[in-house]
Amino acid sequence: MSQYSIESPKHCAKKELNLGKFRYKKLFYFLSAFVFPFLSFILLIWLILRPSKPDFSLKETNVYQLNLSSGSHLLNSSIQLSLFAKNPNQKVGIYYDELQVYAAYKGQQITTYTSLPPFYQDHGDSNLLSASLVGTGLPVAQSFGYEVGRDQTAGRLVLNLKVIGKLRWKVGTWVSGKYRFNVNCVAIMAFGPAIPTGPLTSKQGTQCSTTI
């Protein structure tokens, strides 16, 4: 006579629960043996090296156009700038994945965004970046013309040249996730009452502020 057994649904559920617990234990052991030590190693390297943020400095700024359209508050602008980007780290490289540059005057954006190509910067390296910034028919505050005229009376024009983007750190073969960064450079140029024959120029080599 053959024998057979009938298991209750509760007994089957108990078996499935035990099997699930066994799988979770295997996963936990795997994470403990391989993943956690690897992440701890990366964190240790990160804490030891502690990368410094990149240094930016403004080399030159030339303002070719900065005027309002006749009878309106629409601005036309043309600005050429060059700045140095330096990686101060001795053991950490930097990937610049996104770089966008624009100009601002008294808190108002006066050019559209200009994108720069992505690049890699080895430790201790410096790169010269150049950008042409243009604005056509950009709306500005009604006080814009008054503010420019007041600066012209004071004899100087102050602009903010800004860079926004994302970067990644590289340590050996390991590359971090992306970090947003912001750069603010101040350009001060002579701006007298007489109409200039050439562009307004700043060549003082201003150090820029960088936040990540």
Side-chain angles (χ1 to χ4, degrees), residues 44-96:
L44 180 62
I45 292 178
W46 179 263
L47 292 175
I48 291 174
L49 296 175
R50 195 175 292 275
S52 299
K53 58 189 177 183
D55 294 328
F56 288 84
S57 58
L58 193 59
K59 181 177 181 289
E60 184 176 352
T61 307
N62 295 302
V63 179
Y64 292 93
Q65 184 183 20
L66 191 67
N67 61 273
L68 295 171
S69 299
S70 178
S72 70
H73 298 290
L74 300 178
L75 178 70
N76 298 313
S77 59
S78 176
I79 301 171
Q80 179 76 34
L81 68 90
S82 58
L83 68 161
F84 284 108
K86 181 180 179 181
N87 179 4
N89 299 284
Q90 297 304 313
K91 297 182 179 179
V92 181
I94 302 176
Y95 284 105
Y96 295 92

Side-chain angles (χ1 to χ4, degrees), residues 15-60:
K15 275 189 174 182
E16 290 178 359
L17 183 61
N18 291 335
L19 182 59
K21 287 182 177 179
F22 177 72
R23 288 174 178 170
Y24 281 121
K25 283 183 178 180
K26 286 183 66 177
L27 179 61
F28 177 76
Y29 290 146
F30 172 78
L31 293 176
S32 300
F34 298 101
V35 178
F36 291 154
F38 176 74
L39 293 178
S40 299
F41 174 72
I42 294 299
L43 179 61
L44 180 62
I45 292 178
W46 179 263
L47 292 175
I48 291 174
L49 296 175
R50 195 175 292 275
S52 299
K53 58 189 177 183
D55 294 328
F56 288 84
S57 58
L58 193 59
K59 181 177 181 289
E60 184 176 352

Side-chain angles (χ1 to χ4, degrees), residues 51-56 85-89 91-97 118-125 127 166-171 175-176 181 212:
S52 299
K53 58 189 177 183
D55 294 328
F56 288 84
K86 181 180 179 181
N87 179 4
N89 299 284
K91 297 182 179 179
V92 181
I94 302 176
Y95 284 105
Y96 295 92
D97 293 318
F119 65 96
Y120 172 73
Q121 191 173 55
D122 207 357
H123 47 80
D125 280 358
N127 295 80
K166 295 180 181 179
L167 60 78
R168 293 175 293 158
W169 309 106
K170 181 178 182 294
V171 182
V175 179
S176 73
F181 70 95
I212 296 180

Side-chain angles (χ1 to χ4, degrees), residues 86-133:
K86 181 180 179 181
N87 179 4
N89 299 284
Q90 297 304 313
K91 297 182 179 179
V92 181
I94 302 176
Y95 284 105
Y96 295 92
D97 293 318
E98 298 177 22
L99 287 168
Q100 289 189 314
V101 189
Y102 69 97
Y105 173 74
K106 296 188 183 301
Q108 301 180 75
Q109 186 170 337
I110 58 173
T111 68
T112 56
Y113 294 100
T114 295
S115 297
L116 299 181
F119 65 96
Y120 172 73
Q121 191 173 55
D122 207 357
H123 47 80
D125 280 358
S126 296
N127 295 80
L128 180 62
L129 310 177
S130 298
S132 296
L133 310 180

